[in-house]
Each structure stands twice: as structure tokens, then as C-alpha cells.
Amino acid sequence: VAHKGGTMAQISLPSGAAVITAAAGGIGEAAAHAFAALAPAVVLVDIDADNLARVAADVRAGTGADVVVHVADVTTPEGAAS
């Protein structure tokens, strides 16, 4: 479920993966849980390896989705390329 223009809209990801950046906490963590409920797989990206591992374990346990973890700083060209 996504919030769109003051109303709730249903979205679905029947195939493929969702990539979530800044996934180690806050809005990124919430997005990881939400998209993992919709997609068969999620890729979680953040620079905080410890919290990213915690979120990945929570998402796996809560949704059963396949979770791929990638530690990177996507605010830099090098990190975004990785």
C-alpha cells in the first residue's frame, strides 16, 4: 500500500526485486519491510553494516522474502557504481 495524493493506492511487485537505499533504519527500514511484503526479493543498501544486517534478519523473519544485503555509500559515484 502506498500513500498517493492523500489517498491510499495499492501497488504490487509480482516479479523482480525492490532496491531500498538507506535501509539500515528509519524510513528505509520501514520501506524494506513494506516492499518485502510485496516483492519476492529485496536488495537492502546502506553504509551501516551492523544495522543493515539487523534489518535484513528482521525482514527475512517477518516476510519470508529473499533479502540481499549490499554495504555501500550511494551518495558517492564509487558507491553508487558498486
Side-chain angles (χ1 to χ4, degrees):
V1 177
H3 194 48
K4 180 180 177 182
T7 62
M8 298 302 278
Q10 291 287 350
I11 61 173
S12 64
L13 301 171
S15 63
V19 178
I20 310 298
T21 59
I27 294 170
E29 181 176 356
H33 284 276
F35 279 99
L38 300 171
V42 291
V43 179
L44 307 182
V45 183
D46 203 290
I47 59 173
D48 183 345
D50 292 337
N51 278 324
L52 190 59
R54 176 192 56 78
V55 170
D58 289 348
V59 168
R60 282 184 193 107
T63 66
D66 289 330
V67 179
V68 175
V69 172
H70 187 69
V71 178
D73 180 357
V74 297
T75 65
T76 67
E78 298 81 16
S82 70

